[in-house]
Amino acid sequence: RVRLAAGLGLGLLLVVVVAAAGIRLEIGTGVLRLIHRAAASLEVIVVLWLGWMAWRARATRPVLWRGSLVAIGLTAFLSMLGIAAGQNPPPAAAAANLLGGLALAAVFAWLLGRIDGGSRATRLALGSLVGVLLAVQLLLGARLAIGRSQISSG
């Protein structure tokens, strides 16, 4: 169940990041805002579920407990930031949201790698996934920066 929760958390976070990128690129913003909100809300439920399971196993699995506390803290931070910043966040809030989301993805990937010792194949797959996510994030960031510089200079 813990593996399922961490996997769901990572998958939902990917949906949130892709939807947020689409919103920033102004591609189907109405539908993407709905998808973003739904995935982020489900993410909160998954993090709470993970925290509940980790709390029950805190004596026997302290690493899981600590990881879930970090996930809960990051989720609370991202939730408050999203509410406070609104639909058109200033650049600092957008950057904090992006970095917080990447940190949360890293926590889920770390938990998946640590659950039940994590096989070499699992660690390799997670490392590859994180590398791909980072590359996509860099490309999206570059695309957004280029788009904004063209808007401000045009």
Side-chain angles (χ1 to χ4, degrees):
R1 289 183 183 172
V2 173
R3 184 180 302 278
L4 175 63
L8 280 172
L10 189 56
L12 286 167
L13 194 59
L14 181 58
V15 171
V16 169
V17 168
V18 169
I23 291 167
R24 298 291 168 257
L25 292 170
E26 298 178 357
I27 302 169
T29 54
V31 171
L32 287 178
R33 285 191 196 284
L34 180 63
I35 291 170
H36 182 274
R37 285 188 185 128
S41 296
L42 288 172
E43 179 79 32
V44 170
I45 293 168
V46 168
V47 168
L48 292 174
W49 178 40
L50 178 67
W52 177 73
M53 288 186 290
W55 180 76
R56 290 182 51 200
R58 66 188 180 281
T60 58
R61 298 173 87 178
V63 170
L64 175 63
W65 173 240
R66 288 189 297 270
S68 71
L69 287 177
V70 172
I72 289 168
L74 283 169
T75 300
F77 167 74
L78 290 168
S79 298
M80 290 184 288
L81 181 64
I83 291 167
Q87 291 187 0
N88 295 312
N97 194 15
L98 173 73
L99 294 174
L102 290 174
L104 187 56
V107 169
F108 282 127
W110 180 78
L111 283 170
L112 281 169
R114 297 288 299 202
I115 294 169
D116 301 326
S119 69
R120 178 172 160 71
T122 300
R123 289 192 304 271
L124 182 61
L126 288 171
S128 298
L129 175 64
V130 169
V132 168
L133 288 174
L134 183 59
V136 167
Q137 190 60 52
L138 289 170
L139 289 171
L140 287 171
R143 169 64 179 96
L144 288 170
I146 290 168
R148 289 189 182 192
S149 69
Q150 288 175 347
I151 290 170
S152 64
S153 66

